[in-house]
Amino acid sequence: MYFHVLSILILAGICLYLSICLHAWEDLLLFGRLSAAVILAAAAIMICLVDIYMFIRSVFKTMAELEHTLNVLEESAREDGTCYEESDGLMRQKTPTELLQVLLQREAAAQIMTKEAEINALQSQINPHFLYNTLETIRGQALCCGATSIADATKALAEIFRYNISQKGAMISLKEELANIDAYMRIQSIRFNDRFTLHSDVAEDTLYIQIPKLLVQPVIENALKHGLEVKRGKGNIWISAFRTANRLEIAVEDDGVGISPTILKALNEKLAQGQAERLGSSTTSNIGLANINERIKLIYGTDYGVTVLSAEQQGTRVILSLGILS
């Protein structure tokens, strides 16, 4: 900004100097005629005035955008209760600077949680055990005479790698997340000889809503690992999604072994409090749900998050409640 102002002042000085040296003002004031020098000086001054106008306009535009951002932030903070804070026993409204600081802290925390989720997903899907099982599956299929399953497993694995290392950012469409889940389930279907079936009931108007990357896939993985792998016989997973005016609900349900009432109660209480530390258990399932819950609350506010419904030997239903970002 300072460089721009300095350049305008220098240009204005050059214009004034040229007009004096070329006697433009004398020609215009004393003789009442337009000479080439007068035209040159007038053109230079007009250019300077246009430049000043464009600079002032850009300043006002930047200020208007900043004011709009602060208004949106203040409205969001008022909705989730962060607009006010207690001081000396009294409630006072935070200043725009304090609200901006809250926004920056929330954004930074959300990025950290997203990175952790990406790392956890990579570690889960690229750990030696997972790779060994996948490669063994490919080898076993190769011993048979059919090549279709080999191609499908290899393609699905490549899709998972590509999804996890893509540079699309922290937010992706629900459709992209479902495509990653489909690739993951194709591998599991080959690995477990079609023991598990994925059913989808996703409303069309939810497919292009932006959601945090790697939000739903870990829930699917939990359902397989903790609900269905330990169950005898075949198992099912249902994924559904619908939207309201300002909310997106995604549910992942399985017909696995379920969760005991004591653990379920403690789990939901901790999730409701938004605690990202250990949820009364050291299982990776609880840690994964805590990460997902915390990411949702950081991005959308405290009114959103994860809820778990379950009954022993009947199954588990995990509900992700998200806002809809414009």
Side-chain angles (χ1 to χ4, degrees), residues 169-186:
M171 304 294 287
I172 47 87
S173 69
L174 177 58
K175 184 177 182 179
E176 290 174 296
E177 180 81 349
L178 292 175
N180 181 58
I181 291 171
D182 182 65
Y184 175 79
M185 287 300 298
R186 292 208 310 271

Side-chain angles (χ1 to χ4, degrees), residues 53-256:
Y53 167 75
M54 294 301 293
F55 170 70
I56 294 175
R57 181 182 177 186
S58 67
V59 170
F60 277 100
K61 182 179 179 181
T62 302
M63 292 176 63
E65 291 175 351
L66 179 59
E67 184 179 3
H68 175 70
T69 301
L70 289 174
N71 288 337
V72 171
L73 173 60
E74 185 175 357
E75 181 65 26
S76 174
R78 186 177 292 109
E79 289 179 358
D80 62 23
T82 59
C83 185
Y84 299 93
E85 68 176 4
E86 187 174 350
S87 178
D88 298 328
L90 300 175
M91 297 298 293
R92 73 172 187 87
Q93 187 171 356
K94 292 181 179 179
T95 65
T97 302
E98 291 172 331
L99 288 175
L100 185 59
Q101 186 176 8
V102 170
L103 176 64
L104 294 175
Q105 291 174 345
R106 181 179 295 176
E107 179 67 19
Q111 290 179 1
I112 292 173
M113 298 296 291
T114 298
K115 269 306 168 202
E116 288 181 357
E118 291 175 357
I119 292 171
N120 289 337
L122 284 171
Q123 288 176 341
S124 171
Q125 295 171 8
I126 310 175
N127 64 58
H129 182 69
F130 181 85
L131 282 178
Y132 176 81
N133 287 329
T134 303
L135 292 174
E136 277 296 294
T137 300
I138 295 173
R139 186 185 72 83
Q141 292 292 330
L143 293 176
C144 301
C145 56
T148 304
S149 297
I150 297 174
D152 189 40
T154 305
K155 180 181 178 182
L157 186 60
E159 289 173 358
I160 289 177
F161 273 109
R162 184 167 56 249
Y163 179 81
N164 282 297
I165 65 175
S166 67
Q167 301 298 317
K168 293 183 178 181
M171 304 294 287
I172 47 87
S173 69
L174 177 58
K175 184 177 182 179
E176 290 174 296
E177 180 81 349
L178 292 175
N180 181 58
I181 291 171
D182 182 65
Y184 175 79
M185 287 300 298
R186 292 208 310 271
I187 290 177
Q188 301 303 331
S189 179
I190 296 172
R191 178 183 164 196
F192 290 99
N193 195 26
D194 293 325
R195 267 188 63 199
F196 312 127
T197 303
L198 177 66
H199 309 271
S200 181
D201 182 20
V202 178
E204 188 73 23
D205 60 354
T206 66
L207 291 176
Y208 295 97
I209 296 177
Q210 296 292 297
I211 66 171
K213 186 177 180 181
L214 291 170
L215 193 76
V216 186
Q217 188 271 340
V219 182
I220 298 289
E221 188 171 349
N222 275 343
L224 279 175
K225 185 174 182 179
H226 302 284
L228 298 180
E229 284 187 22
V230 294
K231 172 188 174 181
R232 296 177 62 88
K234 293 183 177 294
N236 296 278
I237 296 179
W238 294 269
I239 180 170
S240 60
F242 70 92
R243 65 167 296 173
T244 61
N246 56 2
R247 186 178 291 264
L248 171 64
E249 298 281 346
I250 303 173
V252 175
E253 185 173 355
D254 66 72
D255 56 1

Side-chain angles (χ1 to χ4, degrees), residues 248-282:
L248 171 64
E249 298 281 346
I250 303 173
V252 175
E253 185 173 355
D254 66 72
D255 56 1
V257 297
I259 305 172
S260 69
T262 303
I263 295 177
L264 179 65
K265 181 181 178 181
L267 175 60
N268 277 314
E269 286 177 353
K270 296 293 185 180
L271 289 173
Q273 295 168 12
Q275 297 181 8
E277 66 270 11
R278 298 183 184 275
L279 301 179
S281 171
S282 60

